[in-house]
Amino acid sequence: MTAQPTLSLDEISTGDELMFERGEKNEAFKILRREAPVRWNPGNEEVKGWWDITKYEDVLYVSRNPERFISSEGIVMFEPRDPEMRLQAANGNGKMLITMDPPRHVMLRRLVNKGFTPRAVRAMEGHIREITRDLLDDIAPKGKCDFVIDVASQLPLAVICEMMGLEKQDWPLMFQLTNKVLGAGDPEYQTDVPEDQRGTNDAARLTGNMGTMGMFGFFAQQLEARKAHRRGDLISILVDSEIEGEKLTDEDLLWFCFLLILAGNETTRNAISGGLMTLCEHPAERARLQADMSLLPAAIEEILRWVSPVTHMARIATEDSEIRGQKIAKGDRVVMWYPSVNRDEDIFPEPERFDITRSPNDHLAFGIGEHFCLGAGFARLELRVMFEELFARLPDIQMDGPVERLRSTFIGGIKHLPVRYTPA
Amino acid sequence: MKVQVNRDMCEGHGKCQSAAPEIFELRDDEISYVLVDEVPAESVARVEAAIRLCPRQAISWVKEK
């Protein structure tokens, strides 16, 4: 972040994945907030333009008006100009909770939300602690590991896979396919493409499609198995669910599984690894926390604010409106940037200071309103249990080499985080 | 002024109860209930905070006819 102190507004495009991979987004958003808080990006020959929304109050406004700013025509920034490409990219629009509008969104969400309430989450704490301890048992004697691969990715993966009733032997496949879908633009995951052709838009499209098809093939089998024998897991509950007297179609069910597995394992992974990295980079705050672990819940909120694992959500305007003096036309795409609003100087005093006791800390890392993250309670619990167990077991854990970030404008991902510690 | 909680939206986060415990109560069904018919003047600011903080934006003033 400090390597690029002289970015200028003209040089900044939020469509530049490499800016995110290099870790320069916070610097860029600071300039956008100051100089062009609601800014039209014209896109390019391949993708349509969009509005960058970088101020907290404006993201609140958009989030609070889900009829005026809808989700069912796409939630990511890039919208292909080519109608054929558009069909390909948009085929999940309107079919998942995350790409659905009220009133159906409310009905569909109510099928599962009792499994995510504070009480449901609390009931899982013991089990989540067991999983965490097992993971730490595996790495503790080694003295070093890749924290993302060995720890941060494994806990959320285990939790969501168990909730969905997936066999342990299938978990690595879920990890792999998740990376292909959400990391489609990153050459590391473009393994279906010859090495010399990686890093292109075509490679990203192919990788994303391979990941999606792989997921659908896998979950089609899972659905068949649940239809033959219910198991009391989330998939079985969905198979039996009805909305207004009608069962969900197989297509509905497949998209539901697709969303649950992605949302459940990619985001918390990055909050955990981003959290450890941030604590390593702020030794005084880390020492304060390790001296008094009762500060952890507030520290987790600050980690969420600081890391903001999901970088954006897009909406489409259904009518003409005005945001901060800019005319938003019906049909325009607006993109809400969570890492930016979580460092908005008008809301957070000294936003560039990582303060584990910050209060109030009303960050929007989980969004707000109609589409508020369903799994927020699990994310917070997994983070708390992870840092409690990690610092009890490996209190001197430190970064051991450079972090490798995901090339993505959508997920603030960390692919690899080498760490070392005194073997225990 | 009257305040209401949309039961279809509420998911029991309890932010409203923390902001205005004299107005909102999270009950056993993990849904927030409004305890008063009329919000007294001294609670209005706290209810405003609850409306703003609710993760699901499930709380609103009842519009006067």
Side-chain angles (χ1 to χ4, degrees), chain A residues 235-367:
Chain A
I235 302 181
S236 301
I237 291 171
L238 288 171
V239 166
D240 284 328
S241 293
E242 292 180 359
I243 289 185
E244 295 179 322
E246 291 200 21
K247 286 246 177 349
L248 300 183
T249 65
D250 280 4
E251 199 196 358
D252 289 338
L253 292 167
L254 287 172
W255 282 112
F256 216 131
C257 291
F258 180 76
L259 174 64
L260 285 170
I261 194 77
L262 293 180
N265 93 81
E266 171 81 40
T267 51
T268 310
R269 175 202 309 181
N270 295 314
I272 293 171
S273 44
L276 179 61
M277 190 175 112
T278 305
L279 288 167
C280 289
E281 289 171 343
H282 298 84
E285 288 300 281
R286 176 176 169 173
R288 197 150 75 102
L289 173 62
Q290 286 188 264
D292 177 4
M293 286 299 281
S294 73
L295 301 178
L296 186 57
I300 285 168
E301 297 310 308
E302 183 67 343
I303 285 170
L304 289 164
R305 182 186 78 87
W306 194 262
V307 176
S308 295
V310 175
T311 46
H312 79 259
M313 286 286 160
R315 302 285 185 255
I316 303 294
T318 56
E319 55 188 81
D320 293 348
S321 64
E322 202 176 296
I323 302 180
R324 215 171 276 266
Q326 299 291 331
K327 301 250 186 281
I328 311 290
K330 179 181 175 179
D332 280 358
R333 180 165 300 243
V334 298
V335 176
M336 302 181 282
W337 291 104
Y338 299 111
S340 179
V341 304
N342 285 341
R343 293 181 186 218
D344 187 336
E345 296 77 3
D346 291 341
I347 301 292
F348 300 97
E350 294 185 80
E352 304 297 334
R353 195 159 67 86
F354 179 72
D355 172 4
I356 61 166
T357 51
R358 181 179 292 275
S359 175
N361 191 351
D362 300 317
H363 64 76
L364 300 180
F366 293 118

Side-chain angles (χ1 to χ4, degrees), chain A residues 31-253:
Chain A
I31 294 165
L32 285 177
R33 282 195 303 278
R34 190 177 61 221
E35 297 178 25
V38 178
R39 182 212 208 190
W40 177 250
N41 187 316
N44 57 33
E45 61 283 355
E46 285 207 11
V47 296
K48 291 182 175 180
W50 65 86
W51 290 98
D52 288 315
I53 311 285
T54 50
K55 293 291 279 182
Y56 188 101
E57 289 298 332
D58 298 338
V59 165
L60 268 189
Y61 168 73
V62 171
S63 304
R64 282 174 173 160
N65 290 285
E67 278 101 2
R68 210 174 299 161
F69 298 99
I70 59 172
S71 297
S72 55
E73 290 180 25
I75 54 159
V76 294
M77 174 173 55
F78 290 134
E79 166 80 357
R81 290 188 190 274
D82 177 351
E84 259 179 59
M85 289 296 174
R86 197 148 75 226
L87 273 178
Q88 214 176 21
N91 61 6
N93 288 351
K95 293 172 184 161
M96 294 176 270
L97 277 178
I98 201 168
T99 60
M100 213 175 264
D101 299 315
R104 188 167 168 85
H105 174 262
V106 180
M107 293 188 275
L108 198 69
R109 184 162 167 136
R110 288 190 56 165
L111 298 178
V112 292
N113 67 5
K114 284 294 169 194
F116 294 83
T117 62
R119 186 182 302 143
V121 170
R122 272 198 303 277
M124 288 282 284
E125 177 165 347
H127 185 54
I128 286 176
R129 200 171 294 280
E130 265 173 53
I131 301 171
T132 308
R133 286 183 178 160
D134 287 348
L135 288 170
L136 296 175
D137 280 346
D138 288 344
I139 63 149
K142 295 180 186 164
K144 58 193 287 187
C145 72
D146 181 337
F147 188 73
V148 176
I149 301 296
D150 297 327
V151 185
S153 63
Q154 297 303 314
L155 175 63
L157 183 69
V159 172
I160 190 65
C161 286
E162 286 189 3
M163 284 174 83
M164 297 177 77
L166 308 184
E167 306 279 349
K168 202 164 184 178
Q169 71 203 37
D170 295 324
W171 299 0
L173 177 68
M174 294 297 99
F175 178 68
Q176 227 180 64
L177 293 175
T178 299
N179 289 340
K180 282 194 196 295
V181 174
L182 289 174
D186 194 301
E188 180 173 338
Y189 302 128
Q190 296 170 346
T191 50
D192 302 298
V193 179
E195 213 157 327
D196 60 332
Q197 292 165 36
R198 291 179 194 166
T200 62
N201 288 345
D202 283 343
R205 248 187 314 271
L206 182 89
T207 302
N209 286 340
M210 292 298 281
T212 305
M213 286 190 304
M215 288 278 193
F216 273 67
F218 173 81
F219 282 114
Q221 290 173 350
Q222 296 291 316
L223 282 186
E224 287 315 305
R226 298 306 184 289
K227 283 178 184 170
H229 301 283
R230 304 291 195 276
R231 296 187 196 161
D233 53 32
L234 258 181
I235 302 181
S236 301
I237 291 171
L238 288 171
V239 166
D240 284 328
S241 293
E242 292 180 359
I243 289 185
E244 295 179 322
E246 291 200 21
K247 286 246 177 349
L248 300 183
T249 65
D250 280 4
E251 199 196 358
D252 289 338
L253 292 167

Side-chain angles (χ1 to χ4, degrees), chain A residues 64 109-110 119 369-370, chain B residues 8 11 28 30 55-57:
Chain A
R64 282 174 173 160
R109 184 162 167 136
R110 288 190 56 165
R119 186 182 302 143
E370 187 75 31
Chain B
D8 286 341
E11 290 178 348
D28 222 32
E30 294 186 282
R56 291 279 280 149
Q57 298 289 291

